[in-house]
């Protein structure tokens, strides 16, 4: 009887162990960038490492690469989600330091977005508050020592990304133009993790600057509702491009924010008035003097900056 019990315990603990290995193969680490509060992610299956996004300042990317290297596994891919500098700037450091790491995007549209945003930033961009495009990212057509977008960035062109050594990510790109014209969303079944990148912001004023029109804002709200419906039964952990991970309620809050933002910017008579109102409604949100400020400059071009003193 006693022997049987021991045998049973051994059997249970062994099978639990095997099960744990089977289901928990994939691990995830969030790497929080300081500038623009932008996230990068390090995925590992114990055999290889995949990095998602590359941060806004390549100096910070050094730390990201160090962290990825600390796994002592080959870093097979750097996957870039979309064409904004806060997500792709550090990719030149991967190219230089890790020449065997494949830089990859979901499709041609995203590669084109990346290159044209780099050219736009190289021409000054609209947000003088941001640092200039880093020199190694100047397209080679302009500076031969710069970046060869077509030959350095590979295209996935698939709805599934297989992580070398095990595990996969579902790849979604069928979104209306919103925060950027083309966006990638990744879903890991193993981790029940939904990487929404810049379709989601958590407790941070979303970027509505540059060329993000009111139509894009309306599209964005449509997509937020669609994603909530699609993933409601899975109740995934949501990883935003900016801010801490959370759950799907983050999307409802962002939807409300976007609704408020349109009403406030259309109703306010000065940028300052709109700024104060958004801060009053969202007091805990960060990046007010970067993201919110430049969003208001974009949507309230014809309105004065300051309230007239009465
Ligand atoms: Zn971003």
């Amino acid at each position: 009887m006693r022997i049987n019990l021991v045998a049973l315990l051994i059997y249970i603990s062994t099978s639990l162990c095997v099960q744990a290995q089977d289901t928990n193969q994939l691990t995830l680490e969030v790497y929080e960038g300081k500038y623009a509060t932008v996230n990068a992610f390090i995925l590992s299956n114990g055999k290889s490492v995949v990095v998602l996004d590359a941060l806004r300042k390549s100096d910070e990317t050094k730390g990201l690469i160090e962290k990825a290297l600390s796994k002592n596994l080959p870093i097979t891919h750097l996957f870039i989600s979309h064409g904004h500098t806060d997500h792709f700037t550090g990719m030149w450091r991967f190219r230089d330091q890790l020449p065997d790491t494949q830089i990859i995007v979901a499709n041609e549209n995203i590669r084109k977005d990346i290159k044209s945003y780099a050219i736009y930033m190289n021409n000054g961009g609209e947000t003088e508050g941001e640092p200039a495009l880093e020199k190694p990212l100047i397209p080679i057509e302009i500076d031969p020592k710069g970046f060869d977008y077509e030959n350095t960035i590979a295209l996935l062109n698939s709805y599934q990304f297989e992580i070398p050594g095990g595990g996969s990510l579902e790849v979604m790109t069928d979104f209306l133009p919103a925060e950027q014209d083309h966006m990638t969303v990744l879903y890991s079944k193993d981790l029940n993790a939904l990487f929404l990148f810049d379709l989601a912001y958590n407790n941070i004023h979303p970027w509505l600057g540059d060329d993000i029109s009111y139509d894009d804002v309306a599209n964005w709200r449509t997509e937020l509702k669609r994603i909530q419906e699609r993933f409601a039964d899975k109740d995934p952990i949501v990883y935003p491009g900016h801010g801490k991970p959370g759950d799907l309620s983050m999307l409802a809050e962002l939807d409300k924010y976007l609704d408020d933002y349109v009403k406030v910017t259309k109703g306010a008579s000065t940028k300052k008035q709109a700024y104060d109102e958004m801060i009053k409604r969202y007091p805990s949100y960060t990046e007010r003097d970067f993201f919110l400020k430049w969003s208001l400059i974009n949507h309230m071009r014809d309105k004065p900056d300051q309230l007239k003193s009465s």
Side-chain angles (χ1 to χ4, degrees), residues 38 82 84 86-87 179 198 201 242:
V38 63
H82 68 287
H84 274 149
D86 49 335
H87 300 262
E179 206 259 6
D198 281 10
Y201 283 67
H242 299 261

Side-chain angles (χ1 to χ4, degrees), residues 217-278:
V217 175
N219 288 341
W220 195 345
R221 297 189 61 200
T222 303
E223 295 299 359
L224 288 172
K225 290 184 187 85
R226 211 160 64 98
I227 294 164
Q228 285 176 84
E229 279 164 24
R230 180 168 173 191
F231 285 92
D233 60 330
K234 295 195 172 80
D235 190 23
I237 306 164
V238 174
Y239 292 90
H242 299 261
K244 303 276 185 204
D247 59 26
L248 284 174
S249 66
M250 188 191 304
L251 277 62
E253 185 171 320
L254 178 56
D255 184 41
K256 171 85 170 67
Y257 179 104
L258 294 173
D259 188 31
D260 283 353
Y261 176 87
V262 171
K263 286 177 184 150
V264 167
T265 51
K266 286 188 173 172
S269 47
T270 67
K271 295 186 187 82
K272 179 75 168 68
Q273 197 182 15
Y275 178 88
D276 290 344
E277 183 58 31
M278 289 309 288

Side-chain angles (χ1 to χ4, degrees), residues 19-88:
Q19 205 181 18
Q21 271 176 3
D22 282 353
T23 52
N24 294 328
Q25 262 189 345
L26 214 55
T27 60
L28 165 67
E29 236 176 283
V30 182
Y31 193 92
E32 297 178 355
K34 289 189 186 72
Y35 190 84
T37 333
V38 63
N39 292 324
F41 306 96
I42 302 170
L43 279 167
S44 174
N45 55 14
K47 296 207 172 71
S48 67
V49 171
V50 170
V51 178
L52 311 177
D53 281 350
L55 306 176
R56 175 61 178 90
K57 286 198 167 182
S58 63
D59 273 355
E60 290 190 41
T61 308
K62 283 183 202 167
L64 171 64
I65 290 177
E66 227 168 82
K67 193 85 184 167
L69 283 172
S70 72
K71 311 266 179 212
N72 288 315
L73 295 167
I75 303 169
T76 58
H77 293 85
L78 167 66
F79 197 120
I80 306 281
S81 62
H82 68 287
H84 274 149
T85 31
D86 49 335
H87 300 262
F88 69 74

Side-chain angles (χ1 to χ4, degrees), residues 22-223:
D22 282 353
T23 52
N24 294 328
Q25 262 189 345
L26 214 55
T27 60
L28 165 67
E29 236 176 283
V30 182
Y31 193 92
E32 297 178 355
K34 289 189 186 72
Y35 190 84
T37 333
V38 63
N39 292 324
F41 306 96
I42 302 170
L43 279 167
S44 174
N45 55 14
K47 296 207 172 71
S48 67
V49 171
V50 170
V51 178
L52 311 177
D53 281 350
L55 306 176
R56 175 61 178 90
K57 286 198 167 182
S58 63
D59 273 355
E60 290 190 41
T61 308
K62 283 183 202 167
L64 171 64
I65 290 177
E66 227 168 82
K67 193 85 184 167
L69 283 172
S70 72
K71 311 266 179 212
N72 288 315
L73 295 167
I75 303 169
T76 58
H77 293 85
L78 167 66
F79 197 120
I80 306 281
S81 62
H82 68 287
H84 274 149
T85 31
D86 49 335
H87 300 262
F88 69 74
T89 294
M91 68 179 175
W92 69 262
R93 203 174 274 289
F94 277 80
R95 177 202 60 185
D96 291 2
Q97 203 178 322
L98 303 167
D100 293 335
T101 301
Q102 173 116 77
I103 301 172
I104 194 164
V105 295
N107 57 41
E108 178 70 46
N109 287 330
I110 289 170
R111 186 165 69 186
K112 280 185 182 161
D113 279 359
I114 292 175
K115 188 177 181 181
S116 47
Y117 206 78
I119 292 168
Y120 165 76
M121 289 301 291
N122 193 42
N123 294 333
E126 272 200 59
T127 44
E128 299 122 37
E130 256 193 275
L133 185 78
E134 295 191 8
K135 280 204 163 55
L137 285 178
I138 296 174
I140 48 159
E141 295 85 350
I142 301 167
D143 178 356
K145 283 184 288 181
F147 202 90
D148 183 350
Y149 286 80
E150 284 75 17
N151 288 307
T152 310
I153 304 176
L155 308 178
L156 176 66
N157 286 328
S158 169
Y159 299 115
Q160 190 99 338
F161 175 68
E162 301 294 340
I163 303 171
S168 65
L169 297 166
E170 192 187 329
V171 180
M172 289 154 272
T173 54
D174 58 331
F175 304 102
L176 298 165
E179 206 259 6
Q180 173 57 295
D181 285 348
H182 307 93
M183 184 66 67
T184 311
V185 164
L186 300 173
Y187 176 69
S188 160
K189 208 172 155 187
D190 301 320
L191 298 167
N192 195 22
L194 184 61
F195 299 93
L196 288 180
F197 299 103
D198 281 10
L199 284 178
Y201 283 67
N202 191 12
N203 217 34
I204 291 175
H205 292 281
W207 174 251
L208 298 162
D210 280 356
D211 54 349
I212 300 175
S213 65
Y214 282 125
D215 282 347
D216 295 330
V217 175
N219 288 341
W220 195 345
R221 297 189 61 200
T222 303
E223 295 299 359

